Amino acid sequence: MRLRPEQLPAHLEKSLHTAYLVTGDELLLTQECCDQIRRACRTQGIDEREVLEVDRSFDWNQLLAAGNSLSLFAERKLIELRLGTVKMDQKSSAALQEYLQHSDGSNILLVSCGRLDSRSMNAKWVKALDGAGAVIQVWPVERRQLGPWIAQRMQSRGMQADRAAIELLADRVEGNLLAADQEIEKLRVLVGERPIDADIVASAVASSARYDVFKLIDAALAGNAGHALTMLNYLSAEGGEEIPMLGALCRELRTLYQCATAIEQGNGIERVLDNARVWDKRKALYKQCLQRHSSQALGNLLQLSARIDPALKGQSGENGKLLLTEMVAMLAGRPFLPN
């Protein structure tokens, strides 16, 4: 069974399955999903919990032993298997499948891990968990979804905020849901039941935006030049090194150039993107960018990158930061320097 995070509470009210997989990189939301499963276990009288932290030296016989061991204090227990970022191999996959095959349903297994790609989601161990219980994929909250997410979060705590306040808070904490939740709780304590406006948010909330070069690239691919340049300025002000940022941009540009060349040779865009191993979630961004840029335009950007590198290193008389800014703006389709 596949469940979205928002479907989990209703599911747990009706039934408690013997196995759950919670996967995703958004720490706050994955923690909350796991907490909901733990509470459901306690409601069912399952108070004992055994936690298994998996690392490279983990002995998978521990999982089988946990499932077979009897407790002196309870008939059932919750077994938490925390994979973190450890990759499942054939041996670990077999051990997990063996556990599920021999489980009599008395214990509950909660497996948590980071985001799984599409290939991993089709692995045998994931399908085994899917068949025995439920798989919950947690996706990051995109910027356009962040305002409604904050509004719903505030409403659930009895708070009132106008649209300007919500948007300002979203700007201050962009990409960092843990910070957003903490700031909402701080506002609840400071303001109480009074309506919240933008001035209150501006004075009470610190800037906790979680920017990185990959979000910068995605904004540029989407044609959102203003947002991309804001992130570039933020990263530079925070001490982000321009050379690694340039390297990440160049890697993306090379992939885009190869895709544009293949499409202009008559290949279908879906096949081209698959061959370039573009993730499904990023295909829409690539399509937007490839509609704006020909292979020649992308080649010009790569040539520009060859000027930026020595400029940033002080090996030429050009302004490297200005050229990097222009490169991002051009990728987003909004150049500002004269040809």
Side-chain angles (χ1 to χ4, degrees), residues 96-282:
L96 183 51
Q97 291 177 73
E98 183 180 351
Y99 168 90
L100 294 171
Q101 288 170 1
H102 292 91
S103 173
D104 61 3
S106 58
N107 295 325
I108 307 298
L109 177 65
L110 171 57
V111 182
S112 58
C113 65
R115 185 186 64 83
L116 297 174
D117 57 26
S118 57
R119 181 178 180 182
S120 298
M121 287 298 295
N122 289 316
K124 290 181 180 179
W125 66 275
V126 175
K127 290 183 177 180
L129 283 165
D130 195 346
V135 173
I136 302 102
Q137 282 185 278
V138 177
W139 296 103
V141 176
E142 303 291 345
R143 177 60 183 86
R144 66 181 182 277
Q145 302 167 328
L146 189 54
W149 184 88
I150 289 173
Q152 187 277 330
R153 204 86 173 176
M154 286 183 160
Q155 186 177 11
S156 68
R157 299 182 188 183
M159 302 166 65
Q160 301 177 37
D162 61 28
R163 184 173 180 177
I166 290 170
E167 285 304 312
L168 179 57
L169 179 55
D171 287 338
R172 291 286 178 93
V173 301
E174 180 172 345
N176 192 336
L177 297 191
L178 280 172
D181 191 61
Q182 291 168 358
E183 295 296 350
I184 291 170
E185 183 61 22
K186 183 169 74 175
L187 285 168
R188 188 185 69 82
V189 173
L190 292 174
V191 180
E193 297 181 355
R194 287 186 292 132
I196 298 170
D197 58 24
D199 290 337
I200 293 174
V201 173
S203 62
V205 178
S207 178
S208 304
R210 188 176 63 191
Y211 292 141
D212 59 42
V213 68
F214 304 108
K215 287 187 173 62
L216 185 159
I217 291 170
D218 284 353
L221 293 179
N224 193 339
H227 193 40
L229 294 175
T230 296
M231 284 190 274
L232 178 62
N233 292 333
Y234 181 92
L235 288 168
S236 296
E238 288 296 305
E241 297 184 12
E242 282 84 5
I243 296 295
M245 284 193 277
L246 176 63
L249 282 161
C250 287
R251 285 193 294 272
E252 206 79 37
L253 282 171
R254 283 192 288 269
T255 301
L256 284 162
Y257 176 78
Q258 292 167 2
C259 289
T261 301
I263 291 169
E264 290 169 8
Q265 291 173 349
N267 295 286
I269 189 168
E270 291 295 338
R271 182 178 179 182
V272 167
L273 295 179
D274 286 338
N275 289 340
R277 297 183 178 179
V278 178
W279 294 348
D280 289 343
K281 283 197 69 177
R282 304 192 73 228

Side-chain angles (χ1 to χ4, degrees), residues 8-21:
L8 184 58
H11 160 78
L12 293 171
E13 286 183 4
K14 296 178 181 178
S15 61
L16 182 63
H17 288 183
T18 59
Y20 292 91
L21 169 62

